[in-house]
Amino acid sequence: MIEAQETELMGSLKLTSQILRYVTNYLQDHGFLQMLPVMLGRSTDPLGPDPNSSILKTIEVEYLGTTMRTMNSMILHKQVAVRDVGRIFILSPNIRLEKADRKASGRHLFEFTQADFEIPYGKMKDVFSLMEGLLVGLTSHIGAEGIRKVDGEPFAFKGPFRVYSTHELEERYGEDWEYKASMDHDQPFWATCHRREFYDREDLENPGHYLNYDLIYPFGVGEALSGAEREYDYQRIRTRMGKDKLAMDIYASYLEEARKGFVPSAGGGFGVERLTRFLRGAAHIGDVQLFRRVPGEVPGI
Ligand code: AMP
Ligand code: MG
């Protein structure tokens, strides 16, 4: 029993190592500089309003008279970095104190790593082709061992992935479209146009629509990546933050950077553990972690 479990975990760890090596090489080969992660900042991703977000709180700590926050994601820092150094990516540890009931989703952790990238002057289609190239290249590179089987064959990503708007998906599958649509596909697909955080750019030619996207894994596994063309205009950022009723004082240093000027960009981030889970075909994302970090479970060491 213990031996079987160790083999399973070892297989997941080997796959995670392969993924990390492939992702690092792929992004570096595509001109991205790898940044080391920021872990404490004065401001971090508010993670909302987004109907899919369910954290209990953001961790705040007083440090030498300043309130610092652990990273929900590095999106705010990415907007500064992409302006200052161009194409960047980070293997970014995120802490998200998800509600206990998220355990049942099979894909939520309270601590995970995001492969997070940003393209200056990028557009949606640039992110789509970058990600498709990455995933197709990954499965053709890693071999068959320990990979989920589909019709007796190891799963391989095949691009380009289909693109839908959330409006189409809602029409076809109802408001809770994600699981049903995911079950209905055997390759990932893109879902565009979600109403969510202020940093996702609104389509000015089509107000009320958003230039953002999720990549959804098939077979019921669900969300793989979220990203967007970013809002870079200082005034529009302020307006969107006001609409979201965000506490502006928390974002003062971010707004100061925005006032200096951001460049237009597009990017995204995908959870490394979710990719491992998907490719392994594991029942729960916690099963691919050496040190389980599952909401609602008291962790071991
Ligand atoms: P977000 O921008 O919040 O969608 O996060 C980006 C990506 O990180 C998601 O698409 C997931 O792949 C991954 N992710 C987000 N939250 C979690 C979580 N609680 N546990 C594991 N992975 C997550
Ligand atoms: Mg998301």
Side-chain angles (χ1 to χ4, degrees):
M1 181 63 196
I2 286 174
E3 262 177 31
Q5 209 179 5
E6 278 174 3
T7 309
E8 200 42 49
L9 278 175
M10 186 59 92
S12 293
L13 184 58
K14 280 185 182 161
L15 179 58
T16 301
S17 294
Q18 287 178 304
I19 289 171
L20 290 172
R21 181 167 56 191
Y22 191 84
V23 168
T24 301
N25 289 339
Y26 179 90
L27 290 174
Q28 292 201 3
D29 289 348
H30 283 74
F32 290 79
L33 291 176
Q34 183 169 10
M35 276 174 58
L36 293 173
V38 169
M39 286 177 274
L40 273 180
R42 281 165 62 191
S43 35
T44 187
D45 190 339
L47 293 182
D50 175 351
N52 285 322
S53 154
S54 69
I55 59 165
L56 293 168
K57 61 174 179 184
T58 295
I59 300 171
E60 294 186 348
V61 37
E62 292 301 311
Y63 177 57
L64 302 177
T66 304
T67 306
M68 306 288 281
R69 294 165 179 88
T70 56
M71 286 298 114
N72 291 326
S73 90
M74 272 185 61
I75 176 61
L76 307 183
H77 296 82
K78 279 202 309 181
Q79 283 188 284
V80 177
V82 78
R83 173 192 71 198
D84 293 349
V85 297
R87 289 184 162 217
I88 39 109
F89 78 100
I90 317 113
L91 295 172
S92 171
N94 292 180
I95 299 180
R96 298 191 187 178
L97 302 180
E98 305 274 3
K99 289 183 191 138
D101 63 4
R102 285 280 157 145
K103 174 185 166 92
S105 75
R107 57 168 197 215
H108 283 86
L109 299 168
F110 61 80
E111 185 185 301
F112 65 96
T113 294
Q114 203 183 137
D116 206 2
F117 58 87
E118 199 70 16
I119 306 171
Y121 303 100
K123 295 283 182 196
M124 248 195 240
K125 63 176 174 29
D126 302 315
V127 173
F128 291 3
S129 54
L130 183 84
M131 254 334 269
E132 286 159 2
L134 189 156
L135 291 176
V136 171
L138 174 69
T139 45
S140 66
H141 181 80
I142 57 180
E145 207 190 322
I147 300 297
R148 79 156 65 222
K149 296 249 180 2
V150 180
D151 298 331
E153 293 293 321
F155 177 83
F157 288 111
K158 291 193 182 76
F161 304 143
R162 298 187 68 164
V163 182
Y164 305 95
S165 77
T166 54
H167 315 289
E168 275 176 278
L169 291 165
E170 272 168 18
E171 243 171 60
R172 194 177 309 177
Y173 299 102
E175 217 170 289
D176 279 336
W177 53 264
E178 187 177 324
Y179 179 73
K180 288 180 206 141
S182 168
M183 286 300 282
D184 223 10
H185 286 73
D186 57 10
Q187 285 289 327
F189 60 90
W190 296 101
T192 67
C193 193
H194 310 257
R195 168 78 184 96
R196 57 189 181 202
E197 292 91 345
F198 70 87
Y199 48 75
D200 285 4
R201 191 167 163 82
E202 190 170 3
D203 185 351
L204 298 183
E205 285 160 24
N206 209 354
H209 293 258
Y210 297 88
L211 300 170
N212 55 15
Y213 35 82
D214 281 358
L215 183 70
I216 309 291
Y217 290 127
F219 313 127
V221 175
E223 185 190 317
L225 166 148
S226 288
E229 293 183 20
R230 309 301 178 185
E231 185 49 80
Y232 56 89
D233 180 86
Y234 174 65
Q235 283 307 339
R236 276 200 297 271
I237 287 175
R238 284 197 71 103
T239 307
R240 291 278 301 276
M241 289 175 93
K243 277 190 191 159
D244 291 352
K245 300 191 172 51
L246 295 181
M248 293 292 190
D249 54 327
I250 292 179
Y251 298 93
S253 54
Y254 167 79
L255 283 167
E256 188 51 31
E257 293 291 346
R259 203 179 52 76
K260 286 186 223 160
F262 284 149
V263 295
S265 67
F270 58 95
V272 175
E273 296 87 345
R274 284 195 185 179
L275 181 51
T276 304
R277 178 207 174 197
F278 174 75
L279 285 174
R280 293 286 288 173
H284 197 283
I285 191 169
D287 300 343
V288 305
Q289 276 187 310
L290 244 47
F291 299 103
R292 290 174 72 90
R293 292 294 187 260
V294 176
E297 282 182 16
V298 177
I301 188 169

